[in-house]
Amino acid sequence: MMAASDRSALRGTLRHNEPMARHTSWRVGGPAHCFYEPADLDDLATFLQQLPADESLVWLGLGSNLLVRDGGIPGTVIATAGALMDLTKVDGHTVRAGAGVACNKVARFCAGLNLVSGEFLAGIPGTLGGALAMNAGAFGGETWPLVKRVETLDRHGVRRWRVPADFHIAYRQVQGPEGEWFVAAELQLQAGDGAAGLARVKELLERRNRTQPIGLPSCGSVFRNPPGDHAARLIEACGLKGECRGGACVSSKHANFIINDGKATAADIEGLIIHIADTVERMQGVRLQPEVHIVGEKSFESRVSSSELEEGKGHE
Ligand SMILES: Cc1cc2nc3c(=O)[nH]c(=O)nc-3n(C[C@H](O)[C@H](O)[C@H](O)COP(=O)(O)OP(=O)(O)OC[C@H]3O[C@@H](n4cnc5c(N)ncnc54)[C@H](O)[C@@H]3O)c2cc1C
């Protein structure tokens, strides 16, 4: 990918064949051909400038909404968590946070400044960059209504400020200028009582613990809620709680969560996702759309077994 002499200018860590199971909350995923942990934003810009123009990129936060297939990622993964970590007050109601900062940290930092309305972020186990990419939300709050502007980086290392009007933003969906990724955001909050904000954080986390299988390997809700309904209700109504494919099982606590029992492969999880979507469509007439992003290549074994399945279908 890049000449040895070019690498000397870099201050981050470049690894080859890095197992992605180490970097996803589902604890599955084959190796990334290249995995780069930048030292900081300037270093990341230098790294991107030196990449071949056709190198495919996957940006990674905390991997809490990412299913990486067992065959791994043939291109380069950019790991923002641990880098892009600036978190400062800009002015009265505005906070700047780097894309690698954990949402929980952003929520607590804001409350500490007596700034409220970002409390919902505390329960989202990802980075701010991931929350911007997903328009993450919970308990009535969403990421983008807080955004004043975002800073992006393209693969030539060029940084730009963008405003929300530059993006198409919907429920758990964000589309913006092609070939730009988030490196920071300025969030606009409201003046309020920080202690009450922290109490709300605690209450929301307790509510999560009561209703969700927190602590087990998952990616949170697998499917988006369809308009006017809840994916979990539809899945439960089909009797799918506890349904398993290999080591991947529908949680018995929250039907929109798939849990890795410790032995699941990405193929097990993807197979269960397809089975759930097919069953709900057949029994309830609604095609659920995954919220989780699926990347990478199938393993040789699952490519063979899915082509066998295809052949089997042909003989029916
Ligand atoms: C137990 C649990 C509970 C959860 N609860 C919620 C919830 O209540 N609400 C909710 O919305 N989500 C929830 N999630 C899902 C997940 O935490 C969010 O979607 C989160 O925003 C993902 O952030 P991340 O840093 O982990 O992103 P990743 O999973 O690393 O990446 C997700 C996507 O964002 C892209 N991306 C990451 N960083 C950047 C960047 N800097 N620039 C551009 N693209 C980027 C990735 O390429 C990928 O496509 C939950 C997950 C778990 C495991």
Side-chain angles (χ1 to χ4, degrees), residues 25 58-66 80 99 123-127 129-131 133-138 172 181-183 208 212 214 218-221 257 291 293:
S25 59
V58 173
W59 281 53
L60 174 74
L62 284 168
S64 63
N65 215 354
L66 206 54
T80 62
I124 294 171
T127 59
M134 301 298 308
N135 192 19
R172 302 294 177 271
W181 294 272
F182 302 112
V183 292
R208 257 175 204 280
Q212 299 177 0
I214 302 298
S218 82
C219 79
S221 291
F257 279 52
E291 176 182 320
H293 289 189

